[in-house]
Amino acid sequence: NKGLIQTIPVDDYVAATSVGIVANEALLDLAYEEDSRAEVDMNVVKTGGGRYIEVQGTAEAMPFGREALLTLLDLADLGIGQIVALQREHVGHLLQK
């Protein structure tokens, strides 16, 4: 209100989601009930520009392979893309430095 900040001081969005494998099915945005039964549980945090901030995944029972990892990362990208789209809708497009 005082006009001290002329532009938004943020240069990219940040979004996070969980993904996992429950009953051999890859799921996005796990609810607690799904998370507690997950064979693989992963959290992914990315910038709006698509760069990773955090990837944390755990095989709760049996180890998982590269194909499952890539499937989960693709699913996380879908969810994060939806969150970033909502951020853009409400905040507007940010100028990239």
Side-chain angles (χ1 to χ4, degrees):
N1 290 338
K2 293 180 181 181
L4 299 174
I5 299 175
Q6 301 300 315
T7 61
I8 295 175
V10 178
D11 62 7
D12 204 351
Y13 298 99
V14 173
T17 193
S18 63
V19 289
I21 299 174
V22 180
N24 293 317
E25 182 180 357
L27 299 177
L28 173 64
D29 192 22
L30 300 178
Y32 174 78
E33 193 276 332
E34 295 162 333
D35 188 278
S36 66
R37 297 184 303 117
E39 297 139 35
V40 177
D41 179 21
M42 183 177 290
N43 299 310
V44 180
V45 184
K46 293 180 78 173
T47 66
R51 297 178 60 97
Y52 289 99
I53 295 170
E54 178 182 5
V55 176
Q56 182 274 320
T58 304
E60 300 293 347
M62 297 296 293
F64 59 98
R66 182 180 183 88
E67 183 176 321
L69 174 63
L70 295 177
T71 296
L72 292 174
L73 289 175
D74 287 344
L75 192 55
D77 280 351
L78 176 68
I80 288 172
Q82 292 171 348
I83 294 168
V84 170
L86 288 171
Q87 291 174 344
R88 284 192 177 108
E89 180 181 321
H90 291 282
V91 176
H93 290 278
L94 300 174
L95 296 175
Q96 297 294 318
K97 294 180 182 179

